[in-house]
Amino acid sequence: FSAHCVFRKTKALLDHTNTLSLNLTELTDQQKEFQEVARKFAREEIVPAAPSYDKSGEYPFPLIKRAWELGLMNGHIPEDCGGMGLGIFDACLITEELAFGCTGVQTAIEANSLGQMPVIIAGNDAQKKKYLGRMTEEPLMCAYCVTEPGAGSDVAGIKTRAVKKGDEYVVNGQKMWITNGGKANWYFLLARTDPDPKCSASKAFTGFIVEADTPGVQPGRKELNMGQRCSDTRGITFEDVRIPKENVLIGEGAGFKIAMGAFDKTRPPVAAGATGLAQRALEEATKYALERKTFGKFIAEHQAVSFLLAEMAMKVELARMAYQRAAWEVDQGRRNTYYASIAKAYAGDIANQCATDAVQIFGGNGFNSEYPVEKLMRDAKIYQIYEGTAQIQRLIISREHLGKFKQ
Amino acid sequence: MLPLRFRRVTMSARVLVGVKRVIDYAVKIRVKPDRTGVVTDGVKHSMNPFCEIAVEEAVKLKEKKLVKEVVAVSCGPQQVQETIRTALAMGADRGIHVEVSGKDYETLGPLQVSKIFAALAKKEQADLIILGKQAIDDDCNQTGQMTAALLDWPQGTFASEVTLEADKLKVVREIDGGLETIKIKLPAVVTADLRLNTPRYATLPNIMKAKKKKIVNVKPADLGVDVSSRLEVLKVDEPPQRQSGVKVETVHDLVEKLKEAGRI
């Protein structure tokens, strides 16, 4: 009896797995050309400039402006707003290449995509034309303003309040760890509109577009972080900020779903960024291992080192396939939450492992700031934290997995 | 009021730019085991760097409204269309793919290519041909010069600066002794040297726009050109391995060693 039960449950799981054949084909000519431009820009312009931006923490605006001029930014913006309407897969290809150069620069650029995504998926025509259109006319930044000092993973626990007063909403609250917080031209803001604590998360929050120069919006100081140091991260205080009702996305109470829905499209590029960092770690470590000699041989010829490189290579290849699957799924029009979380969780973890292993391969030199790999270790950590912590990803994956199993 | 001849040349001026698909400069070249050539299968190829500079110069002339149309030309098999497309993404208006493949492509050299360009220049009524000074795979540095000779056009080779002055081209040439400035009448052939300009990136929107630009296929026979080669490659070898040097203690030892080696 029990054996029969086990068989039935296993079959139910198998019904939902491995039902797709991924026709692995070469990238299209256009994708290859896009990747080539991003790769050239990253290796020739970002890589040499990254160390000094990391030391000074200065916002890499010249590099961001260049990326904007080359069309490497704002790829998701629809064509009728002046953008290229790229799918998530194409955006991921570009993101991985830029991240190879420097994830600090790449995060500053990626924060635009995150801030824009709620408007792309939920904005009405007027909102899209106004706020996405201006991003393609000049190199402007925007930001995704959800996290608070007291609520990160627990988005439903945010306390920033938006109260309707006539044709406006008045917002009060405190946001934290906002990427591009001090550089944004506008923010996507999530605030609580229903004060009733019993109101469910799916109805209590509203998404707004807030112009950064609205009176009462006060960005705090630039935070000094472990890594991705040139990226601008700040706390932002909202004091009696008035937002016109035209800037509400969809309607009151729709905010939570919009904020979460954006992640399905932005997690694959974040995974791609982590993969780019891991690829950089692998390449730097490999180059070094073929130059440095010890005990009469290149260290790459010692199995301990070559096995480290092999495991780094395994992780990079798998992370790449994971984000490509997640991106492909959402581009096909399917719900990709499961794959997006797997990609982000895995890529974040392996980026940290590969960066650490790269420092190990460099030995004493790896610990030193004259060599490029210690920066990779410092930059990698945030990939296990932002856009959904490693733990939250596991919550999502287990929920999706068990949900399929129970069907 | 500009002289009629100048106005006719510049208002409808057409520039032909030659672009060659070569093994990417960053690739480590390996000789084939049968020593008939280098390994090209699966190896990264891109536009010859001097050809990029040539395209950039042509596009700049168009942006200054000194020429009307830039036509990118490449000779080779199907894959050279990628190279033409890169030129289109940089700003060329249309492309011409001269189909040469197989054995003919392996033996294709400056003499045949310059005959093709001369024929195309007449067919397309080009006023200016801009080429890279040489290709980084064969380093021939001949196509520009031969093309000018076949057309009986003046040439400005190793150009580090090109300026249109009335109906003449002022070309600053990089030569062994320094810089030489010449003035040549249009139509002319110019070959681009390293310092002529810094080629632009193809931006992503331009790559997308380039897909709508036309590439026309042409056969050498259609142009009356025979692509058979009069040259035969006997063998291809790697350069000799660099021998390690010897350290000496004193200047006296150094002089002795040099005498031993017959150098002094």
Side-chain angles (χ1 to χ4, degrees):
Chain A
F1 177 74
S2 57
H4 176 62
C5 266
V6 165
F7 174 74
R8 273 206 302 147
K9 279 188 189 157
T10 317
K11 185 177 178 302
L13 180 60
L14 287 174
D15 280 346
H16 295 277
T17 59
N18 210 15
T19 54
L20 246 39
S21 151
L22 276 186
N23 274 339
L24 290 176
T25 57
E26 275 205 60
L27 298 178
T28 65
D29 284 339
Q30 182 175 281
Q31 285 170 332
K32 283 190 208 165
E33 286 168 55
F34 283 2
Q35 188 187 47
E36 200 45 53
V37 176
R39 183 168 293 184
K40 185 173 174 192
F41 175 66
R43 290 175 193 228
E44 289 180 18
E45 297 193 38
I46 300 183
V47 164
S52 78
Y53 279 115
D54 178 60
K55 282 199 179 68
S56 67
E58 190 191 327
Y59 195 65
F61 192 66
L63 287 173
I64 293 175
K65 183 155 179 275
R66 241 350 233 139
W68 182 87
E69 286 166 1
L70 294 175
L72 296 169
M73 262 173 77
N74 302 330
H76 308 291
I77 293 181
E79 288 183 78
D80 59 11
C81 298
M84 284 193 299
L86 291 185
I88 303 296
F89 189 96
D90 288 6
C92 284
L93 283 180
I94 296 167
T95 303
E96 187 191 329
E97 298 299 330
L98 297 180
F100 180 99
C102 171
T103 48
V105 174
Q106 194 277 321
T107 291
I109 293 173
E110 194 58 38
N112 263 23
S113 298
L114 184 55
Q116 291 161 7
M117 208 49 83
V119 181
I120 293 172
I121 62 179
N124 60 37
D125 284 338
Q127 290 164 336
K128 282 190 199 173
K129 282 255 154 57
K130 184 171 181 191
Y131 291 103
L132 300 178
R134 66 171 72 163
M135 308 297 283
T136 56
E137 281 160 25
E138 34 171 329
L140 296 173
M141 311 309 288
C142 65
Y144 181 92
C145 216
V146 169
T147 300
E148 296 183 359
S153 295
D154 184 14
V155 174
I158 62 169
K159 300 226 170 344
T160 300
R161 272 286 276 135
V163 180
K164 188 121 193 272
K165 288 213 166 99
D167 278 345
E168 291 176 329
Y169 286 83
V170 180
V171 177
N172 279 281
Q174 178 78 37
K175 295 293 184 186
M176 191 57 184
W177 309 126
I178 308 305
T179 305
N180 283 340
K183 307 286 174 189
N185 174 269
W186 55 266
Y187 305 107
F188 164 74
L189 173 73
L190 192 70
R192 194 176 183 106
T193 34
D194 190 322
D196 181 0
K198 289 203 222 79
C199 181
S200 79
S202 57
K203 296 199 185 70
F205 301 96
T206 305
F208 300 91
I209 305 170
V210 183
E211 301 261 8
D213 59 5
T214 311
V217 175
Q218 295 155 26
R221 63 149 193 233
K222 177 186 151 82
E223 294 294 336
L224 300 170
N225 292 326
M226 174 199 274
Q228 298 194 5
R229 299 188 65 236
C230 67
S231 175
D232 183 275
T233 315
R234 298 183 195 239
I236 307 182
T237 307
F238 289 80
E239 200 176 307
D240 289 332
V241 175
R242 309 169 99 85
I243 309 175
K245 69 176 197 299
E246 289 74 33
N247 281 21
V248 169
L249 284 164
I250 297 186
E252 234 184 83
F256 192 81
K257 201 156 169 235
I258 300 170
M260 297 298 106
F263 285 144
D264 283 345
K265 297 204 168 199
T266 55
R267 273 176 190 154
V270 171
T275 308
L277 186 153
Q279 175 70 29
R280 177 82 187 271
L282 176 58
E283 276 189 36
E284 295 287 353
T286 309
K287 260 198 314 212
Y288 186 82
L290 291 170
E291 284 167 4
R292 174 87 178 182
K293 272 187 154 166
T294 247
F295 299 108
K297 294 202 265 198
F298 292 114
I299 63 172
E301 294 171 81
H302 293 293
Q303 225 173 43
V305 172
S306 66
F307 276 22
L308 274 176
L309 290 170
E311 285 170 15
M312 286 164 79
M314 286 157 67
K315 291 166 184 170
V316 169
E317 293 292 341
L318 293 174
R320 186 169 294 129
M321 291 207 275
Y323 83 66
Q324 289 186 341
R325 174 72 185 263
W328 180 77
E329 287 284 335
V330 76
D331 283 343
Q332 300 296 303
R334 288 192 283 267
R335 186 170 171 274
N336 72 332
T337 310
Y338 174 72
Y339 294 103
S341 279
I342 288 179
K344 200 270 175 183
Y346 187 71
D349 288 351
I350 63 102
N352 277 273
Q353 291 161 18
C354 290
T356 310
D357 287 344
V359 172
Q360 192 64 23
I361 289 173
F362 272 70
N365 286 337
F367 198 66
N368 179 269
S369 51
E370 301 274 308
Y371 292 82
V373 288
E374 58 82 27
K375 172 178 180 287
L376 298 179
M377 238 183 109
R378 288 185 288 109
D379 287 347
K381 189 58 198 158
I382 193 65
Y383 279 107
Q384 289 176 309
I385 301 172
Y386 67 18
E387 287 246 13
T389 61
Q391 289 68 35
I392 288 293
Q393 303 302 343
R394 282 157 171 80
L395 258 176
I396 296 171
I397 296 164
S398 57
R399 185 187 65 206
E400 295 284 317
H401 169 74
L402 291 167
K404 279 195 253 190
F405 203 87
K406 285 178 190 157
Q407 272 169 34
Chain B
M1 194 62 179
L2 295 166
L4 187 67
R5 198 167 31 146
F6 171 52
R7 278 191 287 139
R8 190 183 65 227
V9 163
T10 56
M11 280 192 323
S12 59
R14 179 172 293 133
V15 184
L16 238 55
V17 182
V19 294
K20 187 177 181 187
R21 180 175 182 265
V22 298
I23 295 179
D24 187 85
Y25 75 90
V27 167
K28 231 175 161 189
I29 310 288
R30 283 177 305 136
V31 175
K32 283 199 285 201
D34 63 7
R35 289 153 99 218
T36 56
V38 299
V39 178
T40 54
D41 271 345
V43 169
K44 179 160 190 256
H45 284 66
S46 44
M47 191 190 288
N48 180 41
F50 295 108
C51 298
E52 284 182 347
I53 297 174
V55 174
E56 174 67 24
E57 198 61 23
V59 173
K60 276 189 37 189
L61 286 172
K62 193 177 89 154
E63 286 172 345
K64 289 188 204 149
K65 296 211 187 342
L66 295 170
V67 302
K68 188 154 161 263
E69 194 188 32
V70 177
V71 183
V73 181
S74 193
C75 306
Q78 182 62 21
Q79 294 96 309
V80 306
Q81 295 216 359
E82 292 164 15
T83 316
I84 299 175
R85 241 198 307 273
T86 306
L88 296 175
M90 284 172 74
D93 297 293
R94 57 183 168 91
I96 300 176
H97 170 201
V98 181
E99 293 172 349
V100 180
S101 46
K103 259 266 147 243
D104 283 339
Y105 182 57
E106 282 172 39
T107 57
L108 192 67
L111 184 57
Q112 303 100 308
V113 173
S114 55
K115 286 180 184 169
I116 290 172
F117 269 93
L120 277 174
K122 293 198 187 109
K123 183 161 177 267
E124 298 287 331
Q125 296 180 301
D127 302 285
L128 180 60
I129 299 178
I130 310 183
L131 305 173
K133 71 171 179 181
Q134 66 199 58
I136 59 170
D137 51 7
D138 55 23
D139 283 330
C140 283
N141 197 319
Q142 297 167 8
T143 307
Q145 292 87 336
M146 285 179 172
T147 309
L150 287 168
L151 288 165
D152 198 25
W153 285 7
Q155 56 187 266
T157 53
F158 307 99
S160 67
E161 205 184 304
V162 171
T163 335
L164 199 52
E165 280 180 6
D167 59 339
K168 295 209 180 62
L169 220 53
K170 185 176 96 173
V171 181
V172 177
R173 306 179 56 231
E174 295 202 10
I175 60 175
D176 284 347
L179 297 172
E180 179 193 59
T181 307
I182 60 171
K183 268 201 184 136
I184 53 177
K185 279 198 213 161
L186 289 172
V189 175
V190 168
T191 72
D193 208 325
L194 189 65
R195 278 159 281 270
L196 180 57
N197 59 50
T198 307
R200 65 193 63 194
Y201 283 86
T203 69
L204 265 53
N206 282 347
I207 291 172
M208 286 180 84
K209 282 189 205 134
K211 287 203 302 200
K212 300 195 185 95
K213 296 182 183 175
K214 281 199 163 46
I215 302 178
V216 156
N217 285 16
V218 163
K219 291 196 176 44
D222 299 340
L223 301 168
V225 174
D226 169 21
V227 289
S228 54
S229 176
R230 293 148 210 220
L231 299 175
E232 185 195 335
V233 171
L234 297 175
K235 69 174 159 85
V236 176
D237 273 326
E238 286 190 10
Q241 285 278 30
R242 198 176 154 195
Q243 299 299 325
S244 58
V246 173
K247 248 170 101 168
V248 292
E249 295 295 311
T250 67
V251 173
H252 182 261
D253 289 345
L254 176 62
V255 171
E256 283 308 308
K257 277 258 185 284
L258 287 171
K259 278 194 183 150
E260 265 175 53
R263 297 289 191 228
I264 52 172

